[in-house]
Amino acid sequence: DDSDNPGEPRSKTYYDIECKEGDIILLNTRLWWHSTFVPPQARPSISYARDIYFRSDVPDEAPTLGNLDGTYATEDIESDTVLFTEHGMPDCELHRSKDDPNCRLVELEDESGDSYMAIVSSRVIKAGEFFTLEDSDDEDDSGLDP
């Protein structure tokens, strides 16, 4: 702010920052005003904003930050709903959860008797909730329901 007179417009410096897939930007919005522009594109783009802080009472502890990629429900989903099949599975990784998985991998059969794999909701999934499979201690466990 280079204005000495209250009520006069502040001069602003603008920066254009182009982000690529996987980039993370930390921005203190209390100090910096910002806006976001996403150009038209064929694939959806998701920005995830959250408040973060670094604990000053634990000086030797390294901060743990990360970028969480995942697939989430855009609307509430009932239990036992087929979410994806192996024929239309999006190119993504489903997260694992020991405490509260909301999906399971099942084998289904089509009208001709051929089997195929599918991800099915194991409980009601609320809009905005990430899809998760049951965590496994066994690396060979595919998460397949018996």
Side-chain angles (χ1 to χ4, degrees):
D1 180 4
D2 60 6
S3 172
D4 292 330
N5 298 321
E8 279 190 35
R10 296 179 178 196
S11 65
K12 296 179 184 174
T13 303
Y14 291 88
Y15 299 94
D16 287 329
I17 300 171
E18 183 177 338
C19 297
K20 304 282 188 220
E21 184 175 333
D23 285 351
I24 298 173
I25 294 179
L26 295 178
L27 177 69
N28 184 340
T29 57
R30 291 183 181 189
L31 298 177
W32 292 85
W33 177 87
H34 73 285
S35 66
T36 304
F37 171 75
V38 179
Q41 54 194 5
R43 295 179 58 196
S45 175
I46 298 173
S47 295
Y48 186 75
R50 63 188 286 180
D51 291 330
I52 63 167
Y53 70 94
F54 298 102
R55 292 179 54 180
S56 60
D57 61 332
V58 188
D60 294 334
E61 185 176 312
T64 55
L65 299 174
N67 193 15
L68 178 63
D69 291 326
T71 304
Y72 63 90
T74 57
E75 58 189 35
D76 292 350
I77 298 172
E78 295 298 319
S79 183
D80 296 318
T81 300
V82 175
L83 303 172
F84 316 110
T85 68
E86 65 181 274
H87 309 296
M89 178 74 177
D91 184 19
C92 68
E93 179 179 335
L94 296 181
H95 297 279
R96 299 288 182 143
S97 172
K98 284 188 181 213
D99 300 325
D100 192 22
N102 57 23
C103 298
R104 64 186 185 280
L105 180 64
V106 298
E107 187 172 8
L108 300 176
E109 198 172 281
D110 63 18
E111 300 83 28
S112 65
D114 292 330
S115 63
Y116 62 97
M117 304 307 293
I119 302 292
V120 176
S121 58
S122 55
R123 60 172 175 76
V124 172
I125 302 173
K126 296 291 185 185
E129 188 177 350
F130 283 96
F131 297 135
T132 58
L133 293 170
E134 183 176 5
D135 200 6
S136 172
D137 293 331
D138 182 358
E139 289 184 23
D140 294 330
D141 183 5
S142 65
L144 181 63
D145 275 355

